[in-house]
Amino acid sequence: MMPDPHRLLTGLRLAGSLVLLVSTLSCAASGKDAPRRGAEAARGESEWILAAEDALRVGNCRDASENYLGAARVSDDAGVAARATQLALGCEQLATARAAAARWRELVPYSGEAALAASVVALKRYDLAAARQELAAWRDSGSAGSQDPLRFAELLQEETSATAVHQVFSEVLVGEDPTAAVRLAQARLAMGAQNMTAAITAAQQARKLDAGLVEAASIELRARSVLGEHDAAIAGARALGEALDGDNAFLVADLLSAADRDTEAREELERLAAGPRTRLGAEHRLIGFAIEEGQYDAAETRLAALLDDRSATALTYYYVAQLAERRDDLLRAARTYQLLFDTPIALQARGAMARLMLRNGNREAAMRVLDEYLEQKPETAVEVGAMRAQLLARHEDVDAALVVLDALLDRYPDHPDLMYQRATVLEGGNRSREAIAQLEKLHGLRPDDPQVSNALGFTMADHGRRLPRAEQLVRSALAVSPDSPAIQDSMGWVLFRQGRVKESLPVLERAWFNSRDAEIAAHFGEALWKSGEEGRARYIWQQALNSAPEDKRLRETVARLTGEAPPAAR
């Protein structure tokens, strides 16, 4: 399957290594297209810098980055090149950032800070060879010694794909005599990269060095659960007993749920709900269970109790809004989403509010909800623009969505998120040839990115085009992230499209049980239907419809194969 568009790139946050000049980043994304000023007119260093500052004042981040790069090219001051790199990274101008970082490295070839900046640029571009080289230079500069490996790995992962960071971290920074913290960081990254075998190996090595690392044990058990070793994982979690705390306090319940032992999972959550430290997390999980199973009264009762005793968080209110939507109480849902506009999940809430407004035909108000957020946080232009385009496309206005994305691509050339989003919009608008062409272009820029390879391979297979190449692309992605449900689903769907239905079933089944995703349910159910297991196909579809009753792909699949209107959620 093509995963939902997601934001791969964020503003630079490597604490103490590169400092973003926040005062310059108000341009990182003005919600309006500012006029571009010609960079060609500037000549000397001061003229380039003046032109950059002029561009910043009018909100033109692209020209600001390009002009600062011009200054770096004519200046022998490494500080100018550093600022050019920082600005281009903050503005998400990746090609410019690459050139600026190269100039910085040229001026101070032994600087660990410059090497680290170049490695971050390479990771963002998914250029693994360059990332390895630059990160090795940073390591050899002596700068790595003072870094907490766990925090450093976390910060790198925030900047780019976990798959890229996992590969480079393991190859460059683990070394011959790693500490327990380094192995734990490696295990975390392997989980993020959806490579469970690697996660288990790293977690076991961490525990050999420090037997008291409960997080390492938790990672190993979660990974084993994903691999289908449910009984062993659950037994291991129970053996940890009182050592489980924080997020790991819910380990047993999570593993029981993953094993489809829902009654036991609920019993464990009820036990945790009785404890003051774990009550809120347990209640949220129980509410989620109830909503998915259509037990709306039970969910309402639990939510009311949290609201009454003032235990509610932003997530609690988000559940209130979701429940109101399920009950078709759109006014209550909208009012509740509005309460979340100043919380950490403000953009998610605003997106949901805009979706409701579009559903009611109020497009102008829907776009205004997103514009208000962009005015508050101009640095989120790419994320907000992608959300705007996706909402428009889902409401059958593909042309308007493409206008939004094309305007953003003019400001952020070859931005991977925007190119990917453009492909999904084209695909959703039944313009598959253009979608494949867009993904081919993105794949040319990021040939080692498993998400891009997977998206291209899946889209080709979904339309029955060049199936051998589609299989090669998906297998290359699977080699990097063997336990990704999205990539497993693509692999199963490629096999199904090739007529290898029997081979596709176990692959699709694993993808379904590790994701409970509606589109994967559509594919798995269709393969079951084709193999004669119609009753089981209906059961899988109903499970998915309970959680995602409006999913278009799922409903179309059920209607096409059964000739019946899809059953409503229970």
Side-chain angles (χ1 to χ4, degrees), residues 353-519:
M353 172 74 95
R355 173 172 47 77
L356 292 181
M357 289 175 167
L358 284 170
R359 178 176 168 181
N360 287 332
N362 196 343
R363 175 169 164 173
E364 183 178 349
M367 297 299 102
R368 189 164 57 248
V369 166
L370 298 180
D371 289 339
E372 289 169 355
Y373 185 81
L374 192 55
E375 289 171 4
Q376 297 169 16
K377 296 182 177 294
E379 71 277 9
T380 62
V382 170
E383 190 173 6
V384 174
M387 177 179 284
R388 189 191 309 272
Q390 190 71 9
L391 287 168
L392 290 169
R394 286 176 178 172
H395 285 80
E396 314 299 332
D397 197 343
V398 170
D399 290 339
L402 292 173
V403 167
V404 170
L405 292 170
D406 289 343
L408 283 168
L409 279 165
D410 182 61
R411 292 160 56 195
Y412 303 93
D414 292 338
H415 194 294
D417 286 0
L418 297 174
M419 294 176 72
Y420 184 86
Q421 180 74 64
R422 195 173 190 279
T424 66
V425 168
L426 289 166
E427 173 67 6
N430 297 316
R431 294 162 63 172
S432 59
R433 288 185 182 277
E434 293 173 79
I436 290 172
Q438 181 74 72
L439 288 170
E440 288 279 20
K441 181 180 178 181
L442 183 56
H443 187 259
L445 295 171
R446 301 167 73 89
D448 297 323
D449 188 336
Q451 295 190 54
V452 176
S453 297
N454 173 60
L456 176 57
F458 172 80
T459 305
M460 293 170 69
D462 202 35
H463 296 282
R465 296 177 184 171
R466 302 179 64 187
L467 293 177
R469 179 162 184 251
E471 180 176 354
Q472 181 271 321
L473 285 165
V474 175
R475 286 194 184 279
S476 71
L478 203 60
V480 178
S481 296
D483 303 299
S484 162
I487 301 176
Q488 291 169 345
D489 173 67
S490 296
M491 189 71 255
W493 200 235
V494 168
L495 295 171
F496 180 82
R497 287 296 197 185
Q498 291 174 328
R500 297 154 67 182
V501 179
K502 187 175 180 179
E503 289 178 68
S504 76
L505 283 170
V507 183
L508 291 170
E509 181 176 32
R510 186 176 169 198
W512 159 247
F513 278 112
N514 283 333
S515 69
R516 307 297 172 152
D517 178 85
E519 184 175 345

Side-chain angles (χ1 to χ4, degrees), residues 193-209:
Q194 296 181 299
N195 186 330
M196 300 305 146
T197 299
I200 290 169
T201 299
Q204 289 176 335
Q205 291 168 335
R207 295 195 77 198
K208 283 183 180 179
L209 295 167

Side-chain angles (χ1 to χ4, degrees), residues 199-256:
I200 290 169
T201 299
Q204 289 176 335
Q205 291 168 335
R207 295 195 77 198
K208 283 183 180 179
L209 295 167
D210 183 350
L213 280 178
V214 175
E215 184 184 352
S218 174
I219 288 174
E220 178 180 351
L221 296 171
R222 289 186 188 277
R224 291 195 181 282
S225 175
V226 172
L227 294 176
E229 301 173 24
H230 296 296
D231 291 344
I234 292 165
R238 283 179 165 152
L240 290 172
E242 295 301 318
L244 295 173
D245 58 8
D247 288 341
N248 285 328
F250 303 98
L251 180 62
V252 173
D254 291 345
L255 296 179
L256 287 166

Side-chain angles (χ1 to χ4, degrees), residues 71-300:
R73 283 172 168 162
V74 300
S75 174
D76 291 330
D77 183 353
V80 175
R83 180 181 168 100
T85 305
Q86 294 161 358
L87 178 61
L89 275 168
C91 287
E92 302 194 58
Q93 303 291 324
L94 299 186
T96 305
R98 180 189 186 190
R103 176 59 176 163
W104 190 2
R105 293 279 281 130
E106 179 186 356
L107 292 171
V108 282
Y110 301 107
S111 165
E113 188 178 28
L116 180 58
S119 73
V120 172
V121 174
L123 284 169
K124 284 178 175 289
R125 297 179 62 254
Y126 220 100
D127 184 346
L128 299 187
R132 291 185 191 100
Q133 179 179 334
E134 298 295 353
L135 207 56
W138 172 74
R139 176 199 63 201
D140 295 342
S141 74
S143 301
S146 61
Q147 289 285 347
D148 172 5
L150 293 171
R151 181 60 179 153
F152 183 71
E154 180 182 347
L155 288 166
L156 281 180
Q157 190 172 344
E158 288 176 357
E159 294 306 312
T160 184
S161 166
T163 56
V165 179
H166 175 241
Q167 291 178 79
V168 174
F169 186 94
S170 295
E171 294 167 11
V172 177
L173 298 181
V174 171
E176 296 181 358
D177 188 24
T179 64
V182 168
R183 286 298 190 191
L184 180 56
Q186 188 181 19
R188 286 181 181 177
L189 290 171
M191 286 291 287
Q194 296 181 299
N195 186 330
M196 300 305 146
T197 299
I200 290 169
T201 299
Q204 289 176 335
Q205 291 168 335
R207 295 195 77 198
K208 283 183 180 179
L209 295 167
D210 183 350
L213 280 178
V214 175
E215 184 184 352
S218 174
I219 288 174
E220 178 180 351
L221 296 171
R222 289 186 188 277
R224 291 195 181 282
S225 175
V226 172
L227 294 176
E229 301 173 24
H230 296 296
D231 291 344
I234 292 165
R238 283 179 165 152
L240 290 172
E242 295 301 318
L244 295 173
D245 58 8
D247 288 341
N248 285 328
F250 303 98
L251 180 62
V252 173
D254 291 345
L255 296 179
L256 287 166
S257 180
D260 265 351
R261 291 161 62 173
D262 291 343
T263 299
E264 293 174 78
R266 287 189 190 82
E267 290 173 353
E268 173 66 10
L269 288 172
E270 292 287 4
R271 183 185 70 80
L272 292 167
R277 290 187 302 169
T278 52
R279 181 195 174 211
L280 189 59
E283 287 290 352
H284 282 159
R285 283 169 167 79
L286 287 165
I287 289 164
F289 266 131
I291 292 175
E292 285 188 9
E293 295 181 352
Q295 298 175 8
Y296 299 153
D297 290 342
E300 193 81 66

Side-chain angles (χ1 to χ4, degrees), residues 30-35 58-59 407-408 411:
S30 169
K32 302 176 182 177
D33 287 322
V58 297
L408 283 168
R411 292 160 56 195

